[in-house]
Amino acid sequence: MVIQNIIEQLHRNILLETQYSDTSTNPTQLDEYEALLKIKIPQWYLSFLETFGYIQCIIGEGSSFFLFDINESKGYYQDHYDEKYDDLDFRIPIGTDLGDRALFYSERDGEPGIYVSYGIPDAEYFIFLAPNLENFLFNGIGLEKFAKM
């Protein structure tokens, strides 16, 4: 997908503020991160990362979040998980509001999607937002819920 097409297709309540990083994904970095996660990162997420990198997304009038690039995601994972929370199912940190909310791609009770958690990343506090990042960013599914939290 061409960058301009992605920007034009974003939900009307999302504004991409800034791109902070090189968007290229080093195959070695990716292999190391997937080994750490013990999963294969979904292609839709890799495509998004390779297009945008680490960016700020502003939702309407006052709520915002940052979407991680591979390095930021790996750093967040190592800081907050990395065998500390083995009881959590499959999860990939995908962003934060730089406060106490974090966005994850996870599969909870057989329902894959984008989840938000508060504070300590405890599975008990994962709240479902959208079936995937595309629905969250382009169709606005879960945006209002996230903005009101």
Side-chain angles (χ1 to χ4, degrees), residues 6-24:
I6 291 174
I7 293 170
E8 290 172 0
Q9 291 178 21
L10 285 171
H11 190 269
R12 68 185 177 280
N13 290 343
I14 293 183
L15 171 67
L16 297 184
E17 183 63 25
T18 311
Q19 184 171 316
Y20 289 94
S21 66
D22 176 10
T23 60
S24 59

Side-chain angles (χ1 to χ4, degrees), residues 11 40 57 72 81 87 102 117 125 141:
H11 190 269
K40 182 104 176 115
C57 300
E72 293 292 329
Y81 296 116
D87 60 325
S117 73
Y125 300 103
I141 296 172

Side-chain angles (χ1 to χ4, degrees), residues 4 21 36 39 44 47 62 69 106 149:
Q4 188 59 38
S21 66
L36 177 69
I39 56 105
W44 63 266
S47 298
D69 61 15
S106 186
M149 295 177 143

Side-chain angles (χ1 to χ4, degrees), residues 31-81:
D31 290 344
E32 290 172 357
Y33 190 35
E34 288 179 333
L36 177 69
L37 291 170
K38 300 176 184 75
I39 56 105
K40 182 104 176 115
I41 296 174
Q43 187 57 48
W44 63 266
Y45 184 48
L46 288 176
S47 298
F48 188 86
L49 292 175
E50 289 172 353
T51 302
F52 290 106
Y54 184 49
I55 57 169
Q56 180 180 12
C57 300
I58 298 172
I59 306 171
E61 303 258 341
S63 187
S64 69
F65 59 93
F66 290 83
L67 291 177
F68 296 140
D69 61 15
I70 287 289
N71 289 326
E72 293 292 329
S73 181
K74 182 178 178 183
Y76 191 93
Y77 183 88
Q78 289 172 321
D79 289 347
H80 297 280
Y81 296 116

